[in-house]
Amino acid sequence: MANHKSAKKRAKQSQVRRLRNRSVKTTLKNLEKTVYAAKEEGSDNKDELMRKTQSAIHKAAKKGVIHKKTASRKISRLFKFMNT
């Protein structure tokens, strides 16, 4: 456990960031699943879901939750799946 005031603050900040990042990552995974499911079902709103998912992935990369190249790879794979 942290002994210094600054270390205690750092531990608290890390905990808050960890929870926030976990929430964003879970949201991304769920959005990706809905896009894949919409394509499989032949849903009408798959383009809208794709835009929403792409936007969320870009936002996560911008905020540092995921790496920029990871975001690019995820989006690329989604588009490749949608266009086949």
Side-chain angles (χ1 to χ4, degrees):
M1 186 61 204
N3 293 320
H4 298 286
K5 186 177 178 182
S6 60
K8 288 179 184 177
K9 180 179 177 181
R10 201 67 163 136
K12 199 158 64 168
Q13 287 175 331
S14 294
Q15 178 72 4
V16 169
R17 288 186 181 123
R18 184 183 70 81
L19 292 173
R20 188 180 307 131
N21 289 345
R22 187 171 66 176
S23 170
V24 171
K25 285 183 180 183
T26 302
T27 303
L28 288 179
K29 287 177 190 176
N30 288 337
L31 283 170
E32 288 177 39
K33 284 180 192 176
T34 56
V35 169
Y36 285 119
K39 169 76 160 72
E40 294 296 323
E41 295 170 1
S43 179
D44 296 336
N45 64 346
K46 60 186 174 192
D47 294 329
E48 181 186 338
L49 282 172
M50 187 62 197
R51 273 195 304 272
K52 230 172 110 173
T53 305
Q54 182 181 10
S55 175
I57 292 171
H58 276 304
K59 281 182 186 177
K62 183 175 152 186
K63 297 203 182 278
V65 177
I66 59 174
H67 193 271
K68 186 173 81 168
K69 290 189 178 183
T70 302
S72 177
R73 184 176 65 244
K74 284 180 180 288
I75 291 169
S76 174
R77 287 178 180 172
L78 279 172
F79 272 109
K80 186 175 177 182
F81 177 76
M82 294 300 277
N83 292 326
T84 56

